[in-house]
Amino acid sequence: MKRILVLVSGSGSNLQAILDNCASGKIAGEVVGVISNKADAYGLVRAQTAGVATAILSQQQFASRVEYDVALQALMDDYQPDLVVLAGFMRILSADLVRHFAGRMINIHPSLLPKYQGLHTHQRAIDAGDSEHGASVHFVTEELDGGPVILQARVPIFEGDDVEEVAARVQAQEHSIYPLVVHWFCEGRLRMQGDTILLDGIALGPAGHACE
């Protein structure tokens, strides 16, 4: 069983999807800890309800980003994770921390990367007149939202859609593709080799694995 560590800042709906898939045996791994930088993150409640250890590390305790990330890395190492899952963790991680977990840290971003890196992705897609939008699971590298894509899910944007409607459509897909990628990793099917993603030994293209 692979040891999974999840970092959250908010509601933790993707954390819940992963917890549910672990509980049902669809993921050959165990969430061994959940860390948040926000004491009021509902993701902590989800973890505690599932009997998972939690920790809070607030940036207000530290004088600089560097000091925070040193402490965060040490805390993460305490859990001895095989995989680190960022599930709405709203901090930009330092290059040293990212390198430390290279090839074993993943993130989900609410856009079809490389489009719309950063924030407010749903509104930006609507404003651009896009007919489709989506979410991308990727390995974390030093470039913000720039790591190689593992898997994407696409959803339509209909005329008259508002941000909440698009966000709900995207989030429903996130809850399917994020546990799937965690499953692949825990089975040893997925790895990062340089800038290339290998799934079952086959290199994936820029958009990751193409699911029908």
Side-chain angles (χ1 to χ4, degrees):
M1 297 282 282
K2 296 293 187 182
R3 298 174 61 83
I4 304 164
L5 176 64
V6 184
L7 274 59
V8 300
S9 294
S11 70
S13 66
N14 276 306
L15 164 64
Q16 188 66 62
I18 292 167
L19 288 169
D20 291 345
N21 276 262
C22 288
S24 67
K26 293 179 181 177
I27 292 175
E30 177 188 6
V31 178
V32 295
V34 173
I35 298 173
S36 180
N37 61 328
K38 304 285 187 182
D40 60 351
Y42 188 67
L44 294 170
V45 177
R46 295 181 189 272
Q48 291 158 2
T49 300
V52 174
T54 62
I56 301 164
L57 193 68
S58 170
Q59 49 264 45
Q60 280 72 37
Q61 300 170 239
F62 300 89
S64 70
R65 175 187 165 196
V66 171
E67 290 180 20
Y68 179 86
D69 276 14
V70 168
L72 177 60
Q73 180 177 314
L75 177 59
M76 293 167 71
D77 280 338
D78 285 344
Y79 291 92
Q80 300 179 329
D82 297 298
L83 177 66
V84 176
V85 176
L86 304 183
F89 189 64
M90 301 303 291
R91 278 189 64 85
I92 297 173
L93 300 173
S94 68
D96 285 346
L97 188 150
V98 169
R99 283 193 293 266
H100 181 71
F101 291 104
R104 52 194 179 111
M105 180 187 290
I106 59 175
N107 182 47
I108 193 161
H109 183 72
S111 80
L112 297 173
L113 292 172
K115 296 181 75 172
Y116 310 129
Q117 296 171 325
L119 302 175
H120 311 303
T121 61
H122 309 312
Q123 187 64 60
R124 289 158 69 189
I126 292 171
D127 291 346
D130 291 352
S131 61
E132 64 175 8
H133 189 43
S136 305
V137 182
H138 64 95
F139 276 105
V140 177
T141 64
E142 295 172 46
E143 179 186 356
L144 177 64
D145 300 327
V149 171
I150 302 163
L151 182 62
Q152 292 183 325
R154 297 173 181 270
V155 302
I157 297 178
F158 299 114
E159 186 175 352
D161 272 347
D162 60 24
V163 168
E164 288 75 20
E165 289 169 319
V166 174
R169 210 171 288 139
V170 170
Q171 189 175 70
Q173 293 302 312
E174 289 182 2
H175 296 167
S176 294
I177 65 172
Y178 216 5
L180 178 57
V181 170
V182 174
H183 164 67
W184 288 342
F185 187 94
C186 289
E187 283 201 325
R189 298 174 56 190
L190 177 70
R191 64 189 179 93
M192 185 171 74
Q193 183 174 289
D195 294 329
T196 302
I197 303 299
L198 298 176
L199 179 62
D200 297 329
I202 299 172
L204 302 182
H209 179 65
C211 281
E212 293 297 331

